[in-house]
Each structure stands twice: as structure tokens, then as C-alpha cells.
Amino acid sequence: MSHTNDSVVAPDVSSSAASTPESIWQAVLGELELSISKANFTTWFKSTSILRYERGEAVILVPNMFTRNWLQNKYHKDISKALQNVTGERITKISYELHSQAEAVEEQHKKMEEEKLREEQSTRTSIPVPVATMRTPIGSPSIPNATTALNSKYSFENLVVGANNELAIAAARAVTKNPGTMYNPLFIYGGVGLGKTHLIQSIGNAILSADSQKKVVYVTCEKFTDDFIKYIQNSKGREGDSSVFKQKYRTADVLIIDDIQFLSGKERTQEEFFHTFNELHQNNRQVIITSDRPPKAILHLEDRLISRFEGGMIADISMPDFETRKAILRSKCAEKDISLPEDVADYIAQNVQSNVRELEGAVARVIAHCEMNGTEPTQDLAKSVLVSAGSAERRANINPKQILDIVSGFYNIEIDELLAKNRKKEVVWPRQIAMYLMRVEAKTSYPSIGQHIGGRDHTTAIHAFEKVSKLLEGDESLQQEIDILKQKLYL
Ligand code: ADP
Ligand code: MG
């Protein structure tokens, strides 16, 4: 912990030889720990080490390729800066290598795959794989793909890769190749309409097309909850019926559950999901989860579930940048056999910044307008269509009431409670976020924010704004939380 002190004093080139690479890396970690959020630090740096450091060149060892990508893309500058501070040398090169343990694991996976293949080739019948004993034979014929609830229109092929989703896609592809082995669970999170459902359904479809015998179950969290409630109602006193629910979920090879944030506050369903999860996980079945926020930010979710979710691979999807939005636009137009002039595509990609679903909606509206009026799509037309639909100009019209709605929904707290004189921690924080958003997104004056938030004093609004702004500075997960709220606001 106090290692920073001795290593920092090394502006003299020769003295860096006195510190070992390990002590340099420890000092770098000490610096990084101070500058990034604890969650991110633990996720991305906990299992790193250093192989070599020599005159401004470092080789960092990472446990897997996702960490490598992540460090390269997101933390490269921070690492370089910290290294420079610690060594006093100009850092000219940092490379990231997988450490041997990780290689060994990957090697192991490869071997397992090869063995499996050999077994399958030598005999199609009964080599009893241990997990197979877990399956309860079902009387009915094997479940057709239709009942997996997967939509075949979602595939990796029609998912455009950008900086916003490339890690999530890489993780998804790894899971597709080796379900149940490497990243289990796979937890994907991001705001509304950014392609989470598309991505996880692509995994399901790809796994099925590689092996149609695999039992892939896709379910929304709401459907899971409904099924569970029905199961409880039906199974009262009738053991036979109760197994249908379990058979559906606990015998899946791949369970994909969408929008898990809706488990918030549902204690019994959480408990059931916990057992379902454990059973699948123990038997090396793949679990894939999406959420609109990271596990820790899901309110009223049991700690043991949070820690299960954090035990696998977590990847986020954010809003695509302009170039990626254009690529998505082109791909959607090609799918529908529509052509848009370059300047119109540019205009739409430039002005629809909330999410991909809205991007698709904007194209559809422009095209519909052209078809109805028998005109060609032009930039002016796109402009008028989008403005009247509210996409381009919506930012100006956000009002405090909408903010309260969004905040209330996101944190699962009644608006009344947000406005009440309630100082409970679960309420105070969302209330402060609401005030912050009113200031930033709706440009509401402090006195007016006070009014909207249950007749409070303007100083309360100022305090909330300042507090959230300050916290936002170094806290990436808070930044993400606010981004998600903003996205919901502009949907
Ligand atoms: P989410 O589940 O995150 O709310 P969806 O998966 O429903 O979002 O995506 C919304 C729409 O945007 C879908 O029609 C999806 O096909 C499309 N979409 C999102 N991201 C991409 C992408 N990168 N490439 C192509 N289409 C995308
Ligand atoms: Mg979705």
C-alpha cells in the first residue's frame, strides 16, 4: 500500500534498474486504484501482472483476451501515465500478453473440444457424458426450435460491429464456440435499443445451427417470472405438475434470460432463479443474461445473485458512434432493399443519437413518407420528418416531469416517495440524480427544481447538482448509470 513512495523517486534512468518490474507494477496498480472506480479496478486489474519492464517498454500479463482488449482500448493511457509517474521514464511501448495460466486453460478447452469431436465421430450412441445424467427424460418429442422462443432474424451476420459493442460481440462469439466453458455466465448490459436482445438471440441461433440437438431456451425475465408464478399456483399439492417448470429451465443446455433487471424486488423469483442458475452452472450449462445496467446497480437484488453474475464475463454495449450508426443504417437499408442518398443517411445518423431502435424507426418514417407522397428521400424531407416525429429536436423538450418518471422507473421508487420528506438512503440518491438531470437535461432553474421535487429549497437542488457532478468525475459506473438514464429520457 505504501509502495508508491519509494518507486516514485526514480527520474534518474539508472535507478529504475533497482526496482524490479514487480515493484513497478505494484506501484502502478497503487496509482490506478486511486484513479478508477473500485469495481473497474477489481474487474480489470486484479489478475494482471508484469513480465518485463525495460527502458520505457513494458509487457503486462493479463488473464484473458477480453482483459487485454479492454486494457488496450480503455485503460492504455491511464496505464502509460501511471508507469511514467512511477518510473520517471518516457513510456514508449506497452504490450499485453496472456499469461500462461490462461493459455493453459484455453489449451485445455481446445483439447476437450477435440476429444468431444473424436468421441462423436467414433460412436454416435451412448458414451455417457456425466452431465447427461442430469437430464430427466421427457415423454414428449424433443422440443422444436420454435419453442426456444428465438427469433431467426437475429444473427451475428446482421449485427454491425463497432467500438461500442465489439467486446460484447467477441465474448458472445467465444461463448457460441464453447458454451458452458469459458465465460459463464455471460452478462451483457447497456441502455435500451442498443442491440442486447439481438446479440444474445444471435448466440442462441448460432449454437442451434451448429448443433440442433442442443436445448436452447430464450426467455424474458417477465416470462420467467410468469412461468414461476404459474408453477407455484399449479404445483400446490400436485407434485407431478411442478416438474414442468423445472424441466423447462433446469434441463437447458443454454439458458438465455433477457432484461434481468426486472428481477428487482421479486424475492421468490430471485430465489428460484438462483437455484436454476446454480444447477445449470454446476453442470457446465451456459447462462446468458442481459440487463440495462451492471449487476451491482440492479436495486433490490440479492447479493448472492450479484456475485454470481460478477463471477463470469461482463461486457457492456454503449451507443454506437457516427460511423457505426451509418454502417448500421446501410445494413438495415440493404436488408429491406432500400437505398438512401448519402446525405440523407448522414443526416439521420447525425441526428438520431439515442439508440439503434430509434435509428431504424427514423429510416422507416422517412421511407414511409416518400412512399406515401411518391417523392424521393432528400435531406430536407428527412429533416422535416424527423423534426415532426420529435427525434432531432427532442432534447429541447425534456421536462422535469419526464425526468421524475424515468428516475422512478429506473430505481423502482414511487414518484410520491421521491417527492416526500423521506431521507431513506434508497430514496435520497435517486432524488439527487433526478435533480441533477433536471438541471443538466431540462435546464431547469434551481428554485424550479426545488418546486418540482416536492417543494424543496433551491439550496437542496444546488447541493444535489454539485454532489452528483463531483461524484461523476472519477466514477465510470456512475457515468454509465447516468448515460442509461439519459438514453431512456430521449427514447
Ligand atoms: P435492446 O435489447 O438492447 O433493447 P435490441 O436488441 O432490441 O436492443 O435492438 C434494437 C434494434 O436495433 C433491433 O432491431 C436490432 O436489430 C438493432 N440493432 C442494434 N444494434 C445493432 C447493430 N450493431 N447492428 C445491427 N442492428 C442493430
Ligand atoms: Mg432487449
Side-chain angles (χ1 to χ4, degrees):
M1 264 180 242
S2 59
H3 43 239
T4 5
N5 292 344
D6 21 56
S7 323
V8 172
V9 269
D12 169 14
V13 179
S14 61
S15 69
S16 73
S19 2
T20 62
E22 285 75 29
S23 71
I24 291 176
W25 189 239
Q26 281 312 311
V28 166
L29 291 180
E31 285 222 354
L32 289 168
E33 196 167 4
L34 297 176
S35 63
I36 62 183
S37 75
K38 188 159 180 289
N40 277 319
F41 182 81
T42 319
T43 310
W44 302 112
F45 291 98
K46 202 180 56 189
S47 317
T48 60
S49 55
I50 192 160
L51 179 66
R52 263 196 313 277
Y53 177 80
E54 234 171 6
R55 277 167 284 141
E57 294 194 11
V59 181
I60 311 300
L61 294 178
V62 295
N64 53 49
M65 66 179 198
F66 297 107
T67 307
R68 188 184 63 194
N69 290 347
W70 204 271
L71 295 188
Q72 257 166 0
N73 294 333
K74 297 239 177 183
Y75 291 113
H76 187 76
K77 264 202 198 126
D78 298 307
I79 297 170
S80 175
K81 210 169 96 196
L83 262 172
Q84 180 155 338
N85 289 342
V86 169
T87 61
E89 295 179 334
R90 208 168 72 81
I91 304 304
T92 48
K93 188 174 169 199
I94 304 176
S95 42
Y96 304 88
E97 283 179 14
L98 295 188
H99 60 57
S100 51
Q101 198 191 350
E103 278 165 17
V105 172
E106 300 213 353
E107 199 55 26
Q108 178 86 18
H109 284 308
K110 248 196 227 148
K111 269 205 196 125
M112 272 162 49
E113 273 295 305
E114 282 164 12
E115 260 167 40
K116 229 162 95 195
L117 210 82
R118 249 181 275 131
E119 269 173 16
E120 277 167 14
Q121 279 164 351
S122 65
T123 161
R124 282 253 205 93
T125 43
S126 63
I127 295 198
V129 186
V131 289
T133 58
M134 287 307 304
R135 299 187 193 209
T136 345
I138 309 171
S140 52
S142 79
I143 297 167
N145 289 3
T147 55
T148 64
L150 285 169
N151 186 331
S152 60
K153 77 173 181 184
Y154 294 121
S155 72
F156 281 113
E157 285 68 40
N158 60 13
L159 186 63
V160 176
V161 186
N164 61 308
N165 62 8
E166 64 182 336
L167 281 167
I169 292 181
R173 284 199 178 269
V175 162
T176 305
K177 250 197 210 152
N178 284 310
T181 51
M182 248 198 282
Y183 301 109
N184 205 7
L186 173 63
F187 189 101
I188 306 280
Y189 74 90
V192 193
L194 293 180
K196 300 184 297 296
T197 299
H198 188 139
L199 178 61
I200 58 173
Q201 293 222 12
S202 303
I203 305 175
N205 284 323
I207 290 177
L208 270 180
S209 75
D211 178 356
S212 60
Q213 297 301 306
K214 279 254 158 66
K215 185 175 169 192
V216 178
V217 176
Y218 168 86
V219 68
T220 61
C221 185
E222 285 112 319
K223 174 86 171 77
F224 182 85
T225 307
D226 281 355
D227 282 0
F228 177 60
I229 291 170
K230 279 197 199 110
Y231 151 57
I232 298 179
Q233 287 165 349
N234 287 344
S235 66
K236 271 188 196 129
R238 283 189 297 161
E239 252 314 298
D241 280 3
S242 68
S243 60
V244 176
F245 176 84
K246 293 202 168 151
Q247 228 159 46
K248 174 169 176 188
Y249 293 109
R250 296 199 186 185
T251 62
D253 293 306
V254 181
L255 176 63
I256 306 176
I257 180 154
D258 209 352
D259 289 320
I260 200 85
Q261 73 272 10
F262 292 121
L263 272 190
S264 167
K266 296 177 182 138
E267 281 166 31
R268 285 195 68 184
T269 315
Q270 282 182 30
E271 167 146 21
E272 178 60 30
F273 183 71
F274 180 74
H275 295 305
T276 305
F277 180 96
N278 282 346
E279 181 141 347
L280 294 173
H281 194 262
Q282 275 158 18
N283 291 300
N284 298 325
R285 310 298 176 80
Q286 180 69 45
V287 181
I288 301 165
I289 300 164
T290 70
S291 162
D292 68 348
R293 62 198 88 181
K296 275 225 177 60
I298 304 176
L299 296 165
H300 312 297
L301 184 68
E302 287 180 29
D303 286 344
R304 57 181 185 170
L305 273 174
I306 296 178
S307 76
R308 287 293 185 285
F309 296 165
E310 289 180 334
M313 174 71 200
I314 301 183
D316 73 334
I317 300 187
S318 52
M319 182 60 188
D321 58 20
F322 172 71
E323 289 304 328
T324 313
R325 291 203 293 278
K326 260 192 87 175
I328 294 174
L329 254 176
R330 268 193 226 108
S331 124
K332 299 288 173 194
C333 287
E335 260 173 36
K336 299 195 175 74
D337 221 3
I338 294 164
S339 76
L340 276 184
E342 190 74 10
D343 63 330
V344 178
D346 276 353
Y347 181 84
I348 297 176
Q350 196 72 261
N351 286 284
V352 181
Q353 304 196 0
S354 47
N355 66 60
V356 181
R357 193 173 295 142
E358 185 150 329
L359 197 63
E360 286 187 281
V363 178
R365 279 198 295 276
V366 171
I367 297 299
H369 196 94
C370 293
E371 281 175 357
M372 255 165 16
N373 299 299
T375 51
E376 289 298 307
T378 63
Q379 201 177 345
D380 281 342
L381 179 99
K383 202 167 178 172
S384 74
V385 172
L386 294 196
V387 168
S388 66
S391 312
E393 308 284 291
R394 204 176 284 184
R395 186 165 282 261
N397 298 325
I398 294 294
N399 63 47
K401 171 82 184 60
Q402 287 165 301
I403 291 175
L404 283 174
D405 281 343
I406 297 290
V407 168
S408 150
F410 186 78
Y411 292 103
N412 202 4
I413 288 171
E414 295 298 324
I415 292 186
D416 288 350
E417 283 207 75
L418 286 174
L419 305 186
K421 304 266 172 271
N422 180 341
R423 285 171 182 275
K424 269 191 289 180
K425 213 175 100 206
E426 309 89 84
V427 184
V428 170
W429 177 241
R431 186 184 291 141
Q432 288 176 329
I433 296 276
M435 289 189 265
Y436 170 85
L437 287 173
M438 286 181 191
R439 183 70 195 147
V440 174
E441 299 302 311
K443 307 276 182 278
T444 313
S445 71
Y446 289 124
S448 170
I449 293 175
Q451 283 306 310
H452 278 104
I453 208 94
R456 291 179 152 77
D457 193 69
H458 73 281
T459 52
T460 309
I462 295 176
H463 171 73
F465 171 75
E466 285 176 350
K467 181 177 165 195
V468 176
S469 309
K470 189 129 189 280
L471 285 173
L472 263 175
E473 272 167 29
D475 188 338
E476 279 175 49
S477 57
L478 178 58
Q479 285 163 18
Q480 273 163 355
E481 200 168 314
I482 300 276
D483 280 349
I484 292 167
L485 281 161
K486 285 186 189 169
Q487 267 181 30
K488 289 186 186 281
L489 215 46
Y490 294 112
L491 195 67

